[in-house]
Amino acid sequence: MPDAYIVGAGQTEFGTFPSESYRTLFAEAFEAAVESVDGPIDAGDVDEAVVGTLGVGGRQLGLSAPAVTEHVGLHNVPSTRVENACAAGGFAVRQAVQAIESGIADVVLAGGVEVMSDMSGDATKYWLGVSGETEWERLTGTTFSGVYAQMASAYLDRYDATTEDLSRVAVKNHANGAKNPKAHLDFACSLADATDAPTVADPLNLYHCCPTSDGAAAVLLASGDVVGEYTDERVRVAGVGAASDRVGLADRDSYTAISASKEAGTRAYEMAGVGPADLDFAEVHDCFAIAELVAYEDLGFCDPGEGATLLREGVTDPGGDLPVNTSGGLKSKGHPIGATGTGQLVEAFDQLTGNAGERQLDDPTYGLAHNVGGSGGATVVHVLEREAAR
């Protein structure tokens, strides 16, 4: 079975772009990915394409993958849309890896795109809500901030954590995002800013919630049989894990953990032959501040209930033992649903190839990307490894 390698990755800025369309955003990300490849690569090299998108606003729900891939010159290339809510982009990469490992393709494009800023707030809440449980969440008026607020309330009640710890997540990620030219909310904030903000859904306030963003990201993967044609600096997809769970929060066994994340992480670690202690950094799905604390625990960075301690002690800061969300995370970098998972892998690729600019860590070897759909109905985890140059 051939290994899959990331040979190029790129993204647009995440933000609000009224003059752009889903096609132009995707084209920009694709071009950035092509330009990041060491050797020559063009559209004719791509054997298959997978595109993650929710289709917010209803634009081109049918044949949305061919609609963007033909725009960048991928004619007669099999193009497939993946929809798994906020994890669509991560699952697109997983499907690309599977295509390579199966031997069907040597070079695969995995991309994601979303336009979310051209609707009213009420319409946006509707499109976000379609990824929740329909009868007992969305149709009864529950928003995703409300769902995660329930998780946060349960967590704060059960463990030694406070709303100030939720604000610490925002402070850390905004500090990272302030160094990221692609970030939507590219500014730092103080703990007071992040603590005293208006309430969105108690106990979550404005600084505990990610923005809704426009953007696209793209990752080019190649099999071990041909990777040498494109680069000598190899970033291998060492492990992939995915799992699903009940879509509705009320049907789950726990409000303070996401079982799909635990299972996906376990599978990715087993495939890679590494564990949490081997990681040099991680990009985790922090759509709300509570989601980052829960991710620390689900992915084995610490025991249940110790996420806040990890944060307070600076372990997940850029200078800590396990930096988390050097990109700024969803909280600062932004959350264009279909592009989020691929965007996480762009950051991981940049870190492992030494191209993360001001955010660059010191000689990382292993990185993890964790992408969650909805409030935990689906999760995908990738472990990447930088191999020695050949």
Side-chain angles (χ1 to χ4, degrees), residues 125-371:
K125 282 190 289 186
Y126 167 83
W127 280 100
L128 289 169
V130 299
S131 302
E133 204 278 334
T134 299
E135 288 83 2
W136 300 106
E137 289 182 354
R138 180 168 66 86
L139 294 182
T140 59
T142 304
T143 63
F144 264 117
S145 54
V147 170
Y148 275 93
Q150 293 177 64
M151 296 171 69
S153 293
Y155 188 94
L156 299 183
D157 182 64
R158 181 173 184 179
Y159 297 123
D160 180 22
T162 67
T163 54
E164 191 169 273
D165 293 312
L166 301 179
S167 297
R168 286 190 175 95
V169 173
V171 171
K172 173 181 69 69
N173 291 349
H174 271 279
N176 293 339
K179 298 177 181 179
N180 187 350
K182 304 292 187 181
H184 186 168
L185 304 180
D186 58 348
F187 55 85
C189 69
S190 68
L191 186 59
D193 291 334
T195 301
D196 299 335
T199 299
V200 173
D202 189 50
L204 302 178
N205 70 34
L206 186 64
Y207 271 84
H208 302 154
C209 309
C210 73
T212 54
S213 312
D214 305 334
V219 176
L220 286 162
L221 299 102
S223 74
D225 296 333
V226 302
V227 64
E229 299 175 19
Y230 302 107
T231 184
D232 293 324
E233 192 168 31
R234 302 188 178 189
V235 175
R236 184 171 70 96
V237 182
V240 182
S244 59
D245 193 12
R246 296 171 178 86
V247 174
L249 185 62
D251 291 327
R252 297 186 201 155
D253 295 332
S254 173
Y255 277 31
T256 59
I258 294 176
S259 66
S261 292
K262 290 183 177 181
E263 185 62 32
T266 297
R267 293 173 181 176
Y269 292 139
E270 288 178 353
M271 181 177 174
V274 301
D278 298 299
L279 299 175
D280 297 300
F281 66 90
E283 288 287 303
V284 307
H285 197 95
D286 62 320
C287 48
F288 298 90
I290 184 60
E292 179 162 327
L293 295 182
V294 170
Y296 293 169
E297 299 165 17
D298 291 340
L299 296 169
F301 302 167
C302 62
D303 291 332
E306 295 184 359
T309 300
L310 211 66
L311 185 70
R312 294 171 195 164
E313 294 178 349
V315 173
T316 58
D317 288 346
D321 289 340
L322 181 58
V324 173
N325 287 336
T326 55
S327 69
L330 283 63
K331 176 62 197 75
S332 174
K333 183 183 179 184
H335 185 25
I337 291 176
T340 293
T342 42
Q344 291 177 322
L345 287 158
V346 172
E347 176 71 10
F349 178 78
D350 285 347
Q351 287 288 353
L352 292 171
T353 56
N355 292 305
E358 289 186 67
R359 308 180 311 285
Q360 183 61 53
L361 301 173
D362 184 20
D363 199 31
T365 300
Y366 287 103
L368 176 145
H370 159 258
N371 192 197

Side-chain angles (χ1 to χ4, degrees), residues 378-390:
T379 302
V380 60
V381 173
H382 292 86
V383 175
L384 304 185
E385 177 190 12
R386 175 178 53 84
E387 293 185 348
R390 300 184 186 182

Side-chain angles (χ1 to χ4, degrees), residues 8-42:
Q11 67 166 79
T12 66
E13 293 181 21
F14 288 177
T16 301
F17 308 112
S19 63
E20 300 290 346
S21 72
Y22 67 98
R23 283 188 169 105
T24 62
L25 288 169
F26 188 85
E28 182 181 339
F30 175 71
E31 290 165 7
V34 168
E35 289 174 3
S36 72
V37 180
D38 291 339
I41 189 170
D42 57 35

Side-chain angles (χ1 to χ4, degrees), residues 64-148:
S64 51
V68 294
T69 56
E70 60 87 16
H71 187 68
V72 300
L74 298 183
H75 306 302
N76 298 319
V77 172
S79 297
T80 306
R81 174 197 178 195
V82 172
E83 185 282 297
N84 236 350
C86 314
F91 273 89
V93 176
R94 177 177 181 264
Q95 190 162 318
V97 171
Q98 289 177 324
I100 288 171
E101 291 179 341
S102 72
I104 291 175
D106 280 325
V107 178
V108 183
L109 167 66
V113 63
E114 212 73 65
V115 175
M116 304 180 68
S117 68
D118 60 349
M119 296 177 296
S120 69
D122 286 342
T124 302
K125 282 190 289 186
Y126 167 83
W127 280 100
L128 289 169
V130 299
S131 302
E133 204 278 334
T134 299
E135 288 83 2
W136 300 106
E137 289 182 354
R138 180 168 66 86
L139 294 182
T140 59
T142 304
T143 63
F144 264 117
S145 54
V147 170
Y148 275 93

